[in-house]
């Protein structure tokens, strides 16, 4: 017997393709009704969303692309509900891998209730003795990105000098802690003095600086890295990357996780110092954590015990309610968030 219900729903919709920096007016909060019915014969879930992640890569999906060859970066359709990574509770299931009452994380929609008909890439949450919001951050995509990027690409060893840009964000704050666990000397940069203090006082960075202060990035890099940089974890791009290349040591490694400074530009900044890749024998490599979903169980077992022992910390900035979703998302491109920006949609 089908026990379907019609439920009141709220949704965050992209009104039009975004030009330049996203604005709150690019989004609309709509009210609608949704059925909990899962079509017969499908392996699907009807879920109640609890937390949504504001991930910088989502800005790409808000522009019109001539080619949508990369599904995870395919353009949203104007008028459609925004989709992204989040945490949800299963209300109904026709998929044998998930049961009513399970908590999951993975791709969902920016709304209160979502019907998910493709459960590939969803993970059932095994450990609930930590905040569920962590699965939109430290135990979700940002955590996996930090783990894969640092451990697979950076080849860091004890004594290395490691630089992390956007170090107070969801990925950067973890990379810094992973580097300290390996015995590295770690310096981070952030956009405000408050974030710099956070990096040094709570997250264990050896040093940190406000890259917007004084308008002299080259001078700041020279001051904080008198002996050069062995490993650079790149989250910013543009002028930051261009200047860092000049301060890299011989045989340095650069892991490219993101380039948030470039996402809102019609014409991305050029990089002028790429000859350093040759002269300094550097290795620079980009990656996507979506290629490493098979590593999620490994990372989870690594991280969960460290979290329980308070040896791995995570700072969140949680906005409450879908009515504040647009403001929260826009804010990450202006540095307003302190820690990983998350939207709390519902209580359990």
């Amino acid at each position: 017997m089908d026990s379907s219900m019609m439920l009141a729903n709220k949704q965050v919709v992209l009104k039009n393709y975004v030009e330049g920096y996203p604005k709150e007016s690019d989004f609309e909060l709509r009210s609608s009704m949704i059925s909990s019915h899962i079509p017969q014969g499908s392996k699907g879930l009807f879920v109640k969303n609890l937390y949504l992640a504001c991930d910088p890569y989502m800005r790409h999906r808000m522009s019109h692309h001539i080619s949508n060859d990369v599904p995870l970066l395919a353009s949203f359709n104007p008028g459609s509900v925004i989709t992204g990574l989040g945490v949800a509770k299963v209300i109904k299931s026709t998929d044998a891998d998930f049961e009513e009452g399970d908590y999951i994380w993975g791709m969902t929609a920016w709304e209160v209730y979502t019907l998910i008909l493709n459960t590939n890439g969803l993970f059932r949450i095994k450990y609930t003795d930590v905040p569920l919001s962590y699965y939109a951050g430290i135990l979700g995509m940002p955590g996996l990105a930090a783990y894969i990027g640092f451990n697979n690409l950076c080849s860091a060893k004890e004594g290395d000098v490691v630089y992390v840009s956007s170090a107070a964000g969801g990925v950067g704050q973890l990379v810094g802690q992973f580097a300290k666990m390996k015995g590295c000397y770690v310096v981070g940069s952030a956009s405000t003095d408050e974030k710099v203090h956070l990096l040094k006082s709570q997250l264990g960075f050896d040093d940190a600086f406000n890259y917007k202060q004084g308008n002299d990035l080259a001078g700041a890099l020279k001051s904080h890295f008198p002996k050069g940089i062995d490993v650079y974890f790149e989250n910013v791009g543009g002028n930051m990357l261009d200047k860092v290349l000049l301060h890299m040591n011989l045989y340095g490694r650069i892991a490219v996780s993101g380039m948030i400074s470039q996402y809102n530009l019609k014409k991305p900044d050029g990089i002028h110092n790429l000859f350093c890749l040759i002269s300094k024998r550097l290795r620079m490599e980009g990656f996507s954590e979506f290629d490493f979903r098979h590593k999620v169980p490994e990372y989870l077992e690594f991280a969960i015990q460290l979290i329980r022992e308070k040896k791995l910390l995570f700072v969140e900035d949680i906005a409450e309610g879908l009515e504040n979703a647009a403001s929260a998302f826009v804010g990450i491109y202006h540095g307003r968030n302190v820690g990983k920006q998350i939207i709390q949609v519902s209580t359990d």
Side-chain angles (χ1 to χ4, degrees):
M1 180 178 177
D2 187 0
S3 57
S4 298
M5 301 175 290
M6 293 297 296
L7 298 167
N9 202 18
K10 286 184 180 179
Q11 304 170 311
V12 179
V13 171
L14 181 69
K15 290 168 64 175
N16 296 294
Y17 289 125
V18 174
E19 294 186 5
Y21 282 79
K23 307 176 295 296
E24 290 185 45
S25 59
D26 292 321
F27 307 88
E28 182 180 1
L29 185 63
R30 291 182 181 174
S31 297
S32 63
M33 299 297 292
I34 186 172
S35 171
S36 64
H37 175 68
I38 301 174
Q40 187 174 2
S42 63
K43 293 174 61 177
L45 303 177
F46 184 77
V47 304
K48 182 180 183 181
N49 292 306
L50 304 179
Y51 296 97
L52 301 171
C54 290
D55 293 319
Y57 84 89
M58 296 171 67
R59 172 61 184 85
H60 290 288
R61 305 194 66 191
M62 297 176 185
S63 297
H64 177 63
H65 303 304
I66 296 174
S67 172
N68 280 322
D69 293 338
V70 182
L72 287 165
L73 295 180
S75 298
F76 293 128
N77 293 317
S80 65
V81 180
I82 291 170
T83 57
L85 294 166
V87 179
K89 184 176 183 179
V90 177
I91 306 299
K92 292 178 65 176
S93 173
T94 57
D95 187 321
D97 291 333
F98 302 96
E99 298 179 357
E100 179 181 333
D102 281 349
Y103 296 103
I104 62 165
W105 75 269
M107 195 62 69
T108 186
W110 283 32
E111 55 188 354
V112 179
Y113 297 102
T114 300
L115 176 63
I116 301 174
L117 296 179
N118 180 3
T119 59
N120 292 331
L122 294 180
F123 297 92
R124 187 171 64 85
I125 292 176
K126 182 178 178 181
Y127 302 113
T128 57
D129 59 327
V130 295
L132 288 172
S133 58
Y134 275 16
Y135 291 90
I138 186 173
L139 295 176
M141 184 271 283
L144 184 64
Y147 180 75
I148 293 297
F150 184 72
N151 289 301
N152 286 31
L153 275 66
C154 292
S155 303
K157 57 186 183 300
E158 185 176 358
D160 275 350
V161 175
V162 175
Y163 174 41
V164 185
S165 59
S166 192
V171 176
Q173 60 175 294
L174 297 173
V175 172
Q177 293 178 81
F178 294 159
K180 287 302 299 177
M181 292 175 191
K182 286 215 170 183
C184 301
Y185 180 84
V186 185
V187 179
S189 62
S191 60
T192 68
D193 290 342
E194 178 187 5
K195 295 177 185 179
V196 167
H197 178 72
L198 173 72
L199 294 173
K200 294 194 289 186
S201 65
Q202 294 187 40
L203 295 173
F205 283 65
D206 294 292
D207 203 356
F209 64 95
N210 182 345
Y211 71 92
K212 290 189 174 182
Q213 194 171 63
N215 198 30
D216 183 14
L217 178 58
L221 291 170
K222 184 177 181 179
S223 171
H224 287 86
F225 301 102
K227 296 182 179 180
I229 301 167
D230 298 305
V231 172
Y232 174 44
F233 199 94
E234 166 68 301
N235 290 307
V236 172
N239 183 54
M240 177 70 76
L241 174 60
D242 209 28
K243 295 293 192 293
V244 168
L245 285 168
L246 296 173
H247 292 270
M248 293 297 297
N249 288 332
L250 204 63
Y251 302 110
R253 289 83 66 201
I254 302 173
V256 183
S257 176
M259 293 190 170
I260 194 171
S261 73
Q262 305 300 292
Y263 297 162
N264 300 300
L265 304 180
K266 288 185 178 180
K267 184 179 180 181
D269 294 330
I271 304 298
H272 305 281
N273 295 315
L274 287 176
F275 186 73
C276 291
L277 294 176
I278 300 170
S279 63
K280 295 171 181 274
R281 288 77 152 173
L282 304 179
R283 189 181 79 232
M284 182 165 72
E285 184 176 351
F287 71 100
S288 170
E289 60 282 346
F290 290 103
D291 294 334
F292 295 90
R293 289 301 183 92
H294 61 286
K295 291 280 192 177
V296 167
E298 173 189 314
Y299 170 65
L300 182 62
E301 295 306 316
F302 165 80
I304 192 69
Q305 194 59 38
L306 292 172
I307 293 170
R308 287 168 175 163
E309 295 173 359
K310 302 189 185 308
K311 294 179 180 177
L312 183 61
L313 306 179
F314 193 63
V315 179
E316 302 171 300
D317 193 330
I318 298 181
E320 294 188 3
L322 283 174
E323 61 273 15
N324 292 310
S327 174
F329 183 78
V330 168
I332 66 176
Y333 300 100
H334 299 280
R336 294 203 294 258
N337 57 302
V338 179
K340 175 63 184 175
Q341 184 66 69
I342 293 170
I343 301 159
Q344 182 176 358
V345 181
S346 312
T347 53
D348 185 9

